[in-house]
Amino acid sequence: MNPSARADETPLDQGEQDYEELSPAERYRLARRRAAEQATALYAFRELYEFPLDEFQVEACEALEAGHGVLVAAPTGSGKTIVGEFAVHLALTEGRKCFYTTPIKALSNQKYADLVRRYGAAKVGLLTGDNTVNGEAPIVVMTTEVLRNMLYAGSQTLGGLGYVVMDEVHYLADRFRGAVWEEVIIHLPESVTLVSLSATVSNAEEFGDWLDTVRGGTKVIVSEHRPVPLWQHVMAGHRMFDLFAEPERDGRPKAGGRPGKSVNPELVRLARAENDRTAHFSRRGRGRGMPKGRPGRVWTPNRIDVIERLDREGLLPAITFVFSRAGCEAAVQQCVQAGLRLTDDAERAQIRELVEGRTEAIPSEDLHVLGYFEWLDALERGFAAHHAGMLPAFKEVVEELFVRGLVKAVFATETLALGINMPARSVVLEKLTKWNGETHADVTPGEYTQLTGRAGRRGIDIEGHAVVLWQRGLDPEALGGLAGTRTYPLKSSFRPSYNMAVNLVHQFGRHRSRELLETSFAQFQADRSVVGIARQVQRNEEGLEGYREAMTCHLGDFDEYMSLRRELKERETRLAKEGAAQRRAGAADSLERLRPGDVIHVPAGKFAGLAVVLDPGVPPVGRHGHRQQWQEGPRPLVLTAERQVKRLALIDFPVPVQPVERLRIPKSFNARSPQSRRDLASALRTRAGHIEPPESARARKGRGAASGANDDPELSRLRKAIRQHPCHGCDDRENHARWGERYVRLRRDTEQLERRMRSRTNSVARTFDRVCAVLTDLDYLKGDQVTEDGMRLARLYGDLDLLASECLREGVWNGLDPAELAACVSALVYESRQSDDPIPDRLPEGRAKHALHEMVRIWGRLDALEDEHGVTQQDNWSRREPDLGFAWAVHRWASGDGLNSVLREADMPAGDFVRWTKQVIDVLGQLQDAAPADGEVRRNARKAVDAVLRGIIAYSSVA
């Protein structure tokens, strides 16, 4: 025992021999400390786990038990959810409720199953919109949107709520759904303790400061330690390279730098050699016999080679991120066709038993449509795909088989990295670029961290492995920077929606609502940026004071004198631009009057001099007799005196041009024939060589500009005022003027900064004001009062909430049968994967088609109203146009058509069909609440849910 340690700091795990050496007083204090710890909830909670808790987990749990809220930011797989589970434990211990929220239904289902196994079904509930199980239980797992809706509705279920766990809270950066997290955080009662669990973000302290501001008493716990170390590799050809150089035994890294952080020099040399070799063969052309795609000794390993290599190295199970749904499916087929098999007979039997048990509710005719038998064959071999286009039930099976170690290789899109708990021993990245919906973009450091964070299973693997496949042009240094960077800033995507506005005004009134919105993380971040801008403005103000002093003149007000000089310069510039525009218009007009055979002097450019016009190059005449306008102006084709045939542009004619002669062009003239060009050029020189060229274009421009300037009375006034100003006679005038120019530039910069400050201060509240202005025009709000129509809008959630409300108010959906209503609702939720997808070829006929067109018309009217009030798409996503691309498929499905025909005609994967149909059901459920109680829309919405909720939609437990 350390003699300098105090007696009351005796370790609790003191051995028996040491214990005998303690004094009676020390033994007493130790016993009291042990008794005090055993009396804590954390002590009992620790007994539930077979492994000791990490330091950050203990710190967070102790803070929770002390009554603090916590923000825990830690890497994927580090065990953050332990802290959330401790909040559940505390709630049960204290006789209070705990809501455990997740961003997606798949995570909610998984967490529900975990908690049921621990506490029993009687104590755990589930609310996801699809499923309502034991909603009044002391522990309820739900999606964040469900909790938001409960808060706005003032649900009785909130009674007794003590803790809310927000798992994956970094989702508040999501551009489409992130606002929900902030709404919940702002509106939760003060008595509720918030447990926020986040991936590692670079601005955790900033987010924690905001939580502390709006919730109070929040402790930030950041851990960057991975419980399972991660090794980074590059697989090139048949070789596997470590990305970073290994340190020597004495701790010094090879090739210098910090241990584990210097990029492997062998890999750097290889990349340089391959780049040089590629450049060499690019210059010489492909060598004889060189295999296509292999300029040298290194190539991108194919998927079969990768899986076989990982299997030999003992690095399976592995997740390979492909970034393409089609690529995932193709990878599985390649493995099957290559005859690969990663499972033994016993494992295959377990796989078949689990699959058949989980899919027994699916009708046999649908199994063929869903590709069940090919999918099962791949599973039995140990392979599977995982992406959003798969049937949810199939994805769940893949997840369970992978966690059990029965499926050894999964090919997935990046959505898996943000979803359920599915760790692997290895993660493979085929490329470092991915399609983001608009372009192929590089993987960011945050995305790289999120993807590779799946590697290394806690309690199973002693280390994880991230493997990047060699691609031509790969830069190991850049990859090292990507792998070594932990920059993943959390940025708010909060913006007030129409639904949010009416709910806030109903509960708090306009003034209080603005105050609440000003407490959002979005405003918090904007205000923080304003602080930096304000500091820069302050520094500029100090600089302006110095410049003002340096430009002071003893003869008069030099600031006034500088203003006159500035006005003069601006006036001259404006007149010059106007003159240039007039000359450009005159030049274009003169070119349009040219005819073949006209001899001209080209006034400027590379081909200045004599030329004969071969083709005037004017725009064609349109169908109605009007000449079309070309943005670049006429483009005459000419032959120069030096026998060059060139098409000129308006830039070659800074001044108008006039023909100086006419020359007959022979009908046999061929611009491609050197002899034809020589003969015509000779005739040009003979015919027009004696003609004097007009004055230079520069001289004519200058003369024109001077003439315009001399004729301008405002210029004359300014010049006279400058000459008469007292400061004009100062001997030090130009020195003062130099300081004055600096003063003007700095003041202009300062004014721009001040405008930025004003735009960011109260920016969220100003957006709220614009949204409320739209709602007031539409009679949803009257001051602090929410109208009856507004209360209907308060029950409609989604991007197009206002459009849905207007359709109800105008009776657009009256008279529709259930299938037609489902088709119309689909336009509110569906978004084509490609934003430029064409208008669908097929729409339901009759009343549904008319209603869909009416919805587009109403959206156009709302869009114009938003323009009028300055509501941009950045302010509110409701500006998205309704998408009719899913209407036909939903209509056919709700009408009873079979899965095969619906999917074939919709040309849509089963997973997408299920996901969008589930969202249609969500909105139909909202219509049941929002539509008039005795109206047909409410009745048909209920019937539409029954019509749609069948087959694969009914037995899909995840949306």
Side-chain angles (χ1 to χ4, degrees):
M1 181 175 154
N2 185 350
S4 64
R6 287 168 35 199
D8 61 355
E9 293 176 345
T10 304
L12 293 178
D13 57 352
Q14 189 75 47
E16 288 298 325
Q17 184 175 355
D18 288 342
Y19 183 79
E20 293 298 326
E21 297 175 0
L22 297 178
S23 68
E26 288 171 333
R27 293 182 186 180
Y28 175 72
R29 277 190 289 267
L30 179 59
R32 288 195 62 179
R33 287 182 61 211
R34 283 177 169 167
E37 191 203 44
Q38 291 172 2
T40 64
L42 180 56
Y43 184 87
F45 178 71
R46 280 175 152 177
E47 298 298 310
L48 299 174
Y49 295 89
E50 298 177 355
F51 53 86
L53 301 189
D54 290 343
E55 184 178 341
F56 85 91
Q57 294 168 331
V58 172
E59 183 183 358
C61 292
E62 287 177 344
L64 268 180
E65 190 163 7
H68 300 288
V70 294
L71 166 63
V72 182
T76 301
S78 60
K80 294 185 295 291
T81 55
I82 293 287
V83 182
E85 290 169 8
F86 181 61
V88 171
H89 180 82
L90 278 177
L92 292 175
T93 302
E94 298 167 1
R96 302 165 77 191
K97 288 183 180 178
C98 178
F99 289 171
Y100 198 112
T101 74
T102 73
I104 56 177
K105 295 172 184 177
L107 268 176
S108 293
N109 290 336
Q110 188 178 68
K111 201 65 203 175
Y112 170 73
D114 292 343
L115 293 172
V116 165
R117 280 193 294 269
R118 169 155 294 172
Y119 297 108
K123 291 184 179 180
V124 186
L126 177 67
L127 298 173
T128 63
D130 295 336
N131 297 311
T132 300
V133 179
N134 199 15
E136 297 300 323
I139 310 166
V140 184
V141 183
M142 62 185 69
T143 53
T144 317
E145 280 88 351
V146 169
L147 178 53
R148 185 270 311 270
N149 299 349
M150 290 169 63
L151 287 167
Y152 279 147
S155 171
Q156 297 297 316
T157 305
L158 295 167
L161 181 62
Y163 297 87
V164 166
V165 179
M166 302 196 78
D167 203 355
E168 310 281 356
V169 74
H170 53 273
Y171 258 75
L172 69 78
D174 184 83
R175 58 181 295 201
F176 299 109
R177 300 171 55 215
V180 175
W181 275 256
E182 291 189 50
E183 289 180 77
V184 169
I185 292 169
I186 291 170
H187 295 310
L188 275 175
E190 291 183 12
S191 59
V192 175
T193 300
L194 187 66
V195 181
S196 304
L197 309 179
S198 171
T200 304
V201 292
S202 53
N203 60 338
E205 288 75 12
E206 179 190 39
F207 184 49
D209 287 347
W210 174 68
L211 287 172
D212 195 58
T213 301
V214 295
R215 304 295 311 167
T218 299
K219 188 167 183 180
V220 179
I221 293 101
V222 177
S223 172
E224 297 200 19
H225 171 70
R226 280 182 54 92
V228 181
L230 180 64
W231 290 86
Q232 307 273 351
H233 312 279
V234 173
M235 190 180 291
H238 294 305
R239 300 185 63 188
M240 180 96 82
F241 294 88
D242 287 334
L243 174 58
F244 296 112
E246 296 183 36
E248 301 281 8
R249 291 185 178 180
D250 61 0
R252 292 177 301 168
K254 294 178 182 177
R258 289 178 296 150
K261 287 300 182 185
S262 62
V263 174
N264 188 341
E266 186 180 1
L267 188 58
V268 173
R269 286 193 296 271
L270 175 70
R272 288 174 181 165
E274 290 305 307
N275 290 337
D276 291 344
R277 188 176 292 109
T278 300
H280 173 74
F281 280 101
S282 296
R283 288 191 298 269
R284 295 187 55 190
R286 187 173 300 280
R288 181 177 298 175
M290 177 179 288
K292 186 176 180 181
R294 297 187 182 185
R297 295 166 297 175
V298 179
W299 62 92
T300 303
N302 64 48
R303 289 160 175 160
I304 309 304
D305 291 341
V306 172
I307 296 301
E308 289 182 333
R309 176 66 182 269
L310 294 177
D311 192 22
R312 287 196 306 272
E313 302 265 344
L315 297 180
L316 296 179
I319 299 171
T320 300
F321 287 107
V322 181
F323 302 138
S324 158
R325 295 179 179 185
C328 293
E329 298 291 349
V332 172
Q333 290 305 311
Q334 288 167 9
C335 292
V336 170
Q337 291 168 5
L340 291 184
R341 190 179 292 279
L342 304 175
T343 55
D344 56 29
D345 290 341
E347 289 171 328
R348 286 193 289 278
Q350 292 181 60
I351 291 169
R352 180 173 286 273
E353 180 181 3
L354 187 147
V355 170
E356 290 177 346
R358 291 298 182 86
T359 59
E360 61 184 356
I362 302 178
S364 57
E365 62 270 19
D366 286 352
L367 293 178
H368 288 279
V369 178
L370 297 170
Y372 168 84
F373 299 100
E374 296 83 359
W375 172 68
L376 176 58
D377 178 43
L379 289 177
E380 290 184 333
R381 293 170 178 269
F383 301 99
H386 189 286
H387 55 77
M390 292 174 61
L391 187 70
F394 283 16
K395 281 200 299 183
E396 288 178 347
V397 169
V398 170
E399 290 157 10
E400 184 166 351
L401 290 174
F402 191 78
V403 170
R404 288 191 183 188
L406 296 172
V407 164
K408 313 299 176 73
V410 168
F411 298 91
T413 56
E414 72 272 20
T415 52
L416 185 149
L418 300 173
I420 46 81
N421 180 29
M422 193 170 155
R425 180 166 295 164
S426 302
V427 163
V428 179
L429 271 66
E430 289 198 337
K431 294 182 179 179
L432 295 175
T433 58
K434 66 185 185 72
W435 179 255
N436 62 9
E438 297 177 357
T439 184
H440 283 94
D442 292 336
V443 171
T444 67
E447 290 168 336
Y448 186 89
T449 301
Q450 192 82 21
L451 294 167
T452 57
R454 290 281 176 187
R457 298 166 298 175
R458 189 172 189 180
I460 302 175
D461 302 316
I462 59 171
E463 57 190 27
H465 297 266
V467 181
V468 174
L469 301 190
W470 174 272
Q471 298 289 335
R472 187 178 298 180
L474 178 73
D475 181 354
E477 296 284 358
L479 176 58
L482 190 68
T485 303
R486 292 294 178 264
T487 302
Y488 187 61
L490 188 62
K491 187 175 181 183
S492 171
S493 61
F494 183 81
R495 78 277 186 213
S497 67
Y498 293 111
N499 171 276
M500 185 194 306
V502 292
N503 274 297
L504 285 173
V505 173
H506 177 63
Q507 284 191 299
F508 307 108
R510 291 273 283 271
H511 179 71
R512 175 67 180 137
S513 295
R514 289 179 98 259
E515 291 179 342
L516 280 171
L517 292 173
E518 287 177 350
T519 66
S520 66
F521 187 43
Q523 190 60 58
F524 186 81
Q525 289 189 311
D527 289 343
R528 285 211 162 182
S529 68
V530 166
V531 171
I533 298 172
R535 287 176 183 157
Q536 184 60 50
V537 168
Q538 185 177 0
R539 287 192 291 268
N540 286 5
E541 293 285 358
E542 294 170 358
L544 286 170
E545 186 60 35
Y547 292 162
R548 190 181 294 112
E549 184 177 340
M551 66 187 247
T552 300
C553 179
H554 65 288
L555 295 178
D557 186 346
F558 204 85
D559 193 15
E560 181 183 71
Y561 178 71
M562 284 298 300
S563 295
L564 289 170
R565 288 177 56 146
R566 191 163 58 254
E567 286 183 55
L568 176 66
K569 184 177 180 180
E570 290 172 355
R571 184 66 179 171
E572 289 175 339
T573 302
R574 188 181 307 116
L575 288 174
K577 287 182 178 178
E578 290 173 357
Q582 291 172 357
R583 288 190 298 275
R584 179 181 173 87
D589 185 59
S590 70
L591 291 179
E592 287 190 358
R593 290 196 295 268
L594 293 178
R595 297 292 179 265
D598 282 345
V599 176
I600 60 174
H601 269 282
V602 179
K606 184 178 179 181
F607 304 103
L610 273 178
V612 59
V613 176
L614 304 176
D615 172 22
V618 297
V621 175
R623 289 184 301 172
H624 303 293
H626 301 297
R627 188 172 299 285
Q628 300 175 18
Q629 295 299 313
W630 283 359
Q631 189 174 5
E632 65 271 19
R635 298 287 307 278
L637 182 71
V638 303
L639 172 73
T640 71
E642 287 74 32
R643 305 195 300 274
Q644 293 173 300
V645 174
K646 293 293 178 183
R647 189 169 291 281
L648 304 179
L650 194 56
I651 195 173
D652 298 307
F653 298 91
V655 293
V657 64
Q658 296 294 332
V660 296
E661 186 62 81
R662 288 279 302 171
L663 188 65
R664 190 180 70 82
I665 301 175
K667 291 184 179 180
S668 61
F669 175 78
N670 181 357
R672 295 177 181 271
S673 166
Q675 184 63 47
S676 291
R677 295 198 304 269
R678 186 181 302 112
D679 292 345
L680 188 58
S682 176
L684 170 64
R685 290 190 298 271
T686 301
R687 185 73 172 270
H690 64 283
I691 300 174
E692 290 290 329
E695 64 176 319
S696 71
R698 178 177 297 178
R700 292 172 64 188
K701 285 173 63 180
R703 180 165 53 78
S707 174
N710 291 331
D711 295 339
D712 185 68
E714 179 63 14
L715 273 185
S716 300
R717 184 192 70 79
L718 288 170
R719 286 169 178 160
K720 182 178 178 181
I722 288 171
R723 287 194 301 269
Q724 292 177 349
H725 197 282
C727 293
H728 193 64
C730 178
D731 293 338
D732 210 15
R733 180 185 69 199
E734 293 310 311
N735 185 42
H736 292 328
R738 281 191 292 273
W739 286 108
E741 290 296 335
R742 294 173 187 171
Y743 175 85
V744 169
R745 285 196 297 271
L746 187 58
R747 187 169 66 183
R748 189 183 299 120
D749 293 344
T750 304
E751 289 171 351
Q752 185 177 2
L753 289 172
E754 288 172 338
R755 285 194 295 271
R756 286 174 60 192
M757 284 176 58
R758 288 192 296 271
S759 70
R760 298 186 184 193
T761 304
N762 306 120
S763 55
V764 176
R766 285 201 306 276
T767 300
F768 173 71
D769 289 340
R770 291 192 288 267
V771 167
C772 286
V774 172
L775 293 173
T776 300
D777 267 13
L778 294 171
D779 201 33
Y780 286 100
L781 292 179
K782 288 184 177 179
D784 276 1
Q785 299 300 314
V786 179
T787 66
E788 183 178 346
D789 290 331
M791 292 308 300
R792 178 181 58 247
L793 175 58
R795 293 189 288 273
L796 295 170
Y797 304 93
D799 289 349
L800 297 176
D801 48 6
L802 187 58
L803 176 60
S805 181
E806 285 291 282
C807 289
L808 279 176
R809 180 158 69 172
E810 297 193 15
V812 172
W813 300 326
N814 293 346
L816 300 182
D817 64 31
E820 292 169 334
L821 180 59
C824 289
V825 165
S826 75
L828 300 173
V829 298
Y830 179 71
E831 289 186 74
S832 304
R833 293 194 69 201
Q834 299 294 335
S835 59
D836 58 349
D837 275 359
I839 297 174
D841 295 328
R842 304 191 69 175
L843 288 174
E845 293 297 330
R847 294 171 302 184
K849 187 174 184 178
H850 175 74
L852 286 165
H853 288 159
E854 277 296 292
M855 291 173 66
V856 174
R857 181 191 62 79
I858 293 172
W859 174 85
R861 174 169 56 78
L862 294 176
D863 190 58
L865 184 62
E866 288 173 320
D867 272 338
E868 181 182 329
H869 288 285
V871 177
T872 66
Q873 186 167 14
Q874 187 176 357
D875 294 331
N876 197 294
W877 292 112
S878 68
R879 300 212 62 169
R880 175 180 66 81
E881 186 172 357
D883 193 324
L884 313 187
F886 193 48
W888 171 262
V890 170
H891 184 266
R892 298 317 309 153
W893 180 254
S895 299
D897 281 16
L899 180 65
N900 184 28
S901 63
V902 171
L903 292 183
R904 185 178 64 251
E905 292 184 15
D907 190 23
M908 179 179 289
D912 285 348
F913 177 73
V914 170
R915 187 172 71 258
W916 291 120
T917 305
K918 289 277 189 175
Q919 292 191 36
V920 169
I921 291 172
D922 283 347
V923 177
L924 287 170
Q926 294 173 30
L927 293 183
Q928 292 182 49
D929 294 334
D934 57 347
E936 61 179 340
V937 172
R938 176 174 288 209
R939 291 194 299 273
N940 284 334
R942 189 178 303 111
K943 292 177 182 177
V945 171
D946 294 337
V948 171
L949 192 59
R950 64 181 180 87
I952 62 169
I953 309 300
Y955 55 66
S956 296
S957 60
V958 183

